[in-house]
Amino acid sequence: MRDRLLLLSLLGLGLMAAAPFLLQAMLPANQAQFWTANVLGRAAVFGIIAMSLTFLATYGGFISLAQMMIAGVAGYAVAVFVEGAVPRIVGGLGYGLAIPLGVLAATVMGLIVGAVSVRTRDIYLLMITLALSMGVFRFVETNIAWFNGYEGIRNVVGPELFGLGFRDPWLFYYVALGTAVLLLAGVLYLVRSPFGLVLQGIRDNPRRVAALGYNVALHRIAAFGVAGFIAGCGGVLATIYNIGISPGTIGLGATVNVLIMSVIGGLGHPVGAFLGSLIFTIFDTFAANLYDRDRFNTLIGAVFLIIVLVSPDGVIGIGARLRRLLGGSKP
Amino acid sequence: MGRAPLVFEWIRVGKNRVVPAISLAGVSRRFGALQAVRDVTFDVQPGERRAVLGPNGAGKTTLFNTICGDFPPTAGSIRLFGTDITHLKPHERTRLGIGRTYQTSLLFNGLSVLDNLFVAVRGLRPNRFSFLRPSRGDDGMAKARELAERMRLSHLLDAEVVNLSHGQRRQLEVGMAMAGDPRVLMLDEPAAGLSPGDRPELLKLLRELPRTLTLILIEHDMDIALPAADIVTVMKDGEVVVQAPPDRIEDDPVVQAIYLGGGH
């Protein structure tokens, strides 16, 4: 079972690494580039943000609606401090400093969200994280001096790497993929550490965790900090992908989209976030071709309903469900 | 009825110089209008086996919860080897040497048997908060394996807890409570729901516990409680009504009245 999982993961990773080459071989050049950056690259970036939610949900049992806002904090921190952004709010920093600063800001915001919501769970946790998100959203939208209000901050183009602009489709794709793989590997490592095991203990039985001598609040806040770090990495990449950031990026719609990605993919395993994000991105991109651009919400809503009805544990649960249906292997 | 007299002799003979493992003084716990535990006072000596008996709703589990800190007492004080723990949080009490099991198993269903025990072992170590996976030779892991062996669960190390039988879950409960090398082990109805075949096994396991350990157990089943205990405390309506060695308990008129429902 373990070997098969490892084989499957390596196969998936190989496929993702080879994807730009395969696309180039199969499609005209401009379409191949579009798929590489705007479908696969974007899916990896939003998959990272969705994974921060999946990490909390899968291992801690916490559904947080603050993850898109936390990603936005990273994006805004980069946009405010980096040189070249329009309008110039603070500026002066290169990407080498602005990006770690952005990720740090998101981690701190994650810790703050964790600390504020430390005593709540289930629907109350959902509501308090949503309230925090909307609070930050409104603050950013109405604040001109620091965040340029409704307009947001533009021209965050990303650093140059290997003599290429960051937005070169291949470079962007491989950076996004590499970041996603590293973060996923990090999560899988972490959940077998004492911290990760205790987090799963809190999910199953917080009272027992406390009785065993652990500080439940500390572990919860740390988990939100880790999720904040992950969301921050996604937020920086998303800001560079969009060449800037505006309040709409962290609005209610965006917040719900991240939740939809996570649920479509499945909350049983962090890799589900990337599957969900890929499906979401494909529908988002091609809704116009499939039906009508304005009907995207109807379309993704229908997909969401079908997946949740057929397999409540998302796309990731479909494989196991099929195997059981066919009666092939043990549950 | 007033406070039960200390009827057994060995506490009087020189034992009063020993600091009691657990010392309850006037402990009460109220939930709104309900007085669940009323003015309970007794000492449990180091190494003693104490059984707490009583009908449903007598306040046994609430008394446990006040000692372990889940519900702090609304009046009275609790001392653990002389240290006042009345206002400490559950995990602080655990660190001071109280291990407990729960009436219904409170286990980590999504984790394996070994991980459950490992989490229990790490809980009392200074490196309990760590982002680093345990190394191959980690002594916490070794201790978890040793506990599994002691609780006869070695063949199930990698099994997810959700798939265990009821008896195995009870054994794991005791194993997890033992993980921190507690000085006082508190078992809340360890035999609840066990098949008759599993009961002698549990009794054997209880009797094998080292004598350095102080044991307090709540138990409905007299066949487990009486052979395992040195002294039995009987509670009713939140109060202690009888306190006596096991051989005197079955014949005690008050106990008979409680258990047989008559006044004889």
Side-chain angles (χ1 to χ4, degrees), chain B residues 138-204:
Chain B
D138 184 81
D139 62 336
M141 243 346 155
K143 176 96 187 282
R145 284 175 202 280
E146 182 198 313
L147 278 167
E149 196 169 324
R150 231 156 104 191
M151 296 302 139
R152 303 180 179 88
L153 292 169
S154 288
H155 57 299
L156 293 166
L157 286 181
D158 293 325
E160 258 192 42
V161 166
V162 70
N163 297 324
L164 295 188
S165 75
H166 184 73
Q168 288 162 344
R169 294 173 71 90
R170 298 311 283 181
Q171 278 159 268
L172 181 56
E173 271 278 336
V174 179
M176 286 173 73
M178 292 286 293
D181 293 323
R183 294 187 286 174
V184 176
L185 180 63
M186 309 193 41
L187 306 177
D188 193 349
E189 294 198 30
L194 284 190
S195 67
D198 286 339
R199 281 164 191 255
E201 178 83 349
L202 178 82
L203 185 60
K204 197 165 155 235

Side-chain angles (χ1 to χ4, degrees), chain A residues 188-257:
Chain A
L188 294 179
Y189 172 87
L190 204 58
V191 297
R192 300 289 312 149
S193 72
F195 164 75
L197 292 173
V198 171
L199 189 61
Q200 293 168 77
I202 293 172
R203 172 196 64 199
D204 292 345
N205 221 318
R207 195 170 143 207
R208 185 61 184 262
V209 171
L212 287 173
Y214 293 96
N215 187 334
V216 172
L218 177 72
H219 280 81
R220 272 188 68 152
I221 294 170
F224 273 83
V226 170
F229 175 83
I230 296 170
C233 294
V236 170
L237 287 169
T239 304
I240 295 172
Y241 171 82
N242 291 321
I243 331 180
I245 186 163
S246 63
T249 320
I250 60 169
L252 183 61
T255 298
V256 173
N257 286 350

